[in-house]
Amino acid sequence: MPKISTRSGLTVGTELTIDETLKTFTLNVAGNLIAKDGVTLQALYSKFVELWATLSYQDSPFPMYAIDALSGQFQFGTDGSRFNGWKPATDATRQMLRDGGWSEFQAGVYDAAGTLTSGGALQRQYVGIVGLGAVSVGAQLYFQRATADLPTNFTFTDQANEGIQVFGNATADASTTTFDKRTFFKGYVREYGKKYKDSVLADTGKTSTGANLVNLLLANEDDLDIVALDSAVNANSPYTEINIKYMPAAFSRDVDTTNVPRDYGIVIDVGTHSGVDGDIALSGNILTTAAGGITGANYSGGTLTLYEGGAAKAVYTILGSPTATVVTITGTFPVTGTGLSFVLQRATPIVATLKQIYTKVQFLLRQTTDVDTTAGTVVGKTASLLLNFVGPDLKCGFFVPTNPNGGGSGVMVQGLSNSDLNSIAYHDNTGVARLSPFSSAWAISFNSPLVGSGSSFRMFFTAPPGAGNDYGESGAITVNDASGNPITGIITGATISGTYDYDGNVQGGFSGGTDRSITLVGIRPGFGKFVATTGNLTRSKAIAMSLTAEQDRAYI
């Protein structure tokens, strides 16, 4: 049955019980009344008016006062002139009241002249929260009455329409506790496979709640960017390797402009370990991090990247297996540094698509537990939204999320696949979206004779501007990747991938933003003969090249 909205839907002895001695009324799940649908405060008030127009009830004070039905302002325990102590008998009755808020007052004591001498105190106050918009069937909406509160479910599923207690006075009513939470309210709808929505009191233009109606925009719709069930996210890679850090200090790294670091307070690690407190010593080979938390076995043989530290800002090879707080590198650091932003990457990186990263983060934001992998505590269900898709592009920090640990609201993703670098925007701590320079993503395939120890490959520009620098000449130029490192090395696997700074690369006198002809060479003495092939670096996220060598049976 629908919500009861007229007095005719209430019959004393069926849907409504009145106790004139205790001055209480009870709503009963019977007849026309279904608990989830409830009854409007206006209908209840109108029923009381109808009853008190009869001789049967006129010997009792009137139970409630209507200030304004449109704004949902009602009072129990007063007729507008005197305090009489009428109130709902149970919380179950309160949970069935709809479309408004109310106050409950203690009975007053009056002298012969009708002057209030004691009592009449405010005992409880309820704000009427009514959600606007369509939500998925069975959605469990929830709320906070203070920013530090744990999430509390509304009593019933589907769209919210319920009075929520925001004030209690245990001195006047022993059945409640003393508290006052009338300066904040936030409602949420977060369901699997649906877009998330939250709405805070400030969105309504109000600065406080009280005994009145507050509408929150809480609606959801299908989220086509969720790509896995919760069971898979809980158990399978890459999801199990994706975590969130709410940093206590800014995580700084170059994004859109070389040597112009941008600050971020929230880092999503995709198989990586990011930190903001790296300490290094001159000519030393150890980085320490007091925050700890490193799973050392994950990064044995991987890399350490320092994003700060002047001359120490570089990529280093990790020596051995790190401990929770110590990373040892091959070589030494050229300068000292403290409080440096850094990241550890695995020898074999975790590969996750943008949609997989988004799916894991959305999963975490539906958890009732701490989802922060730093020393702080951030409960998932009440944490701010971090990511959203606009078409195929992922926006990080677009909603200016709250970071209770203090590092800032900017959101960064570490450990992205090269092919995704140009499909993501990072809003920094100032709220400005930072886009990486366009990095063409390349992948080189090698046949088996070329793969293994003793092998090498190198990428050259075929014919740069100027003289003496073509491939085959003594001044041949090795192509740098998007990080400025030469594209060369050991052929460690059947496929090696990387990025190229299409917009910014000006090696050999080229202008940025232009296609380049390249020559790719490879060899593995005793296994794969020397081989060379040509190709092009273009503005593309999927440049595929291959080197196929004959097996070398002549080398001794």
Side-chain angles (χ1 to χ4, degrees), residues 205-224:
K206 297 179 179 180
T207 58
S208 63
T209 60
N212 56 272
L213 185 68
V214 173
N215 291 123
L216 297 180
L217 182 59
L218 295 170
N220 63 11
E221 58 186 286
D222 290 344
D223 191 341
L224 302 181

Side-chain angles (χ1 to χ4, degrees), residues 114-129:
T115 301
L116 179 68
T117 59
S118 64
L122 178 63
Q123 297 173 310
R124 299 176 179 225
Q125 200 164 74
Y126 290 75
V127 60
I129 300 297

Side-chain angles (χ1 to χ4, degrees), residues 82-241:
R82 294 170 68 95
F83 297 106
N84 53 53
W86 275 90
K87 64 181 181 180
T90 63
D91 282 340
T93 291
R94 294 181 177 99
Q95 290 164 356
M96 285 187 272
L97 297 174
R98 303 283 175 262
D99 295 349
W102 68 91
S103 298
E104 298 179 16
F105 290 97
Q106 181 187 44
V109 177
Y110 296 85
D111 62 17
T115 301
L116 179 68
T117 59
S118 64
L122 178 63
Q123 297 173 310
R124 299 176 179 225
Q125 200 164 74
Y126 290 75
V127 60
I129 300 297
V130 177
L132 300 180
V135 300
S136 51
V137 175
Q140 179 61 72
L141 279 65
Y142 56 96
F143 62 88
Q144 286 176 293
R145 295 173 296 179
T147 55
D149 279 2
L150 292 174
T152 300
N153 288 340
F154 285 98
T155 302
F156 305 101
T157 57
D158 300 320
Q159 187 55 280
N161 187 340
E162 185 175 349
I164 303 299
Q165 188 178 4
V166 292
F167 175 88
N169 180 356
T171 301
D173 180 359
S175 65
T176 188
T177 57
T178 298
F179 69 95
D180 190 345
K181 295 185 177 182
R182 291 180 289 188
T183 60
F184 179 88
F185 199 93
K186 190 172 184 178
Y188 303 79
V189 55
R190 295 184 181 179
E191 294 289 312
Y192 170 78
K194 301 291 181 179
K195 292 184 178 180
Y196 295 174
K197 182 68 177 178
D198 53 62
S199 184
V200 69
L201 179 66
D203 296 338
T204 69
K206 297 179 179 180
T207 58
S208 63
T209 60
N212 56 272
L213 185 68
V214 173
N215 291 123
L216 297 180
L217 182 59
L218 295 170
N220 63 11
E221 58 186 286
D222 290 344
D223 191 341
L224 302 181
D225 295 308
I226 297 296
V227 293
L229 297 173
D230 285 351
S231 56
V233 174
N234 256 327
N236 301 332
S237 183
Y239 302 105
T240 52
E241 308 298 336

Side-chain angles (χ1 to χ4, degrees), residues 358-379:
Y358 174 77
T359 296
K360 176 59 182 288
V361 170
Q362 296 299 88
F363 168 83
L364 290 174
L365 297 187
R366 285 187 285 112
Q367 306 309 305
T368 58
T369 53
D370 180 17
V371 299
D372 177 20
T373 55
T374 75
T377 299
V378 180
V379 176

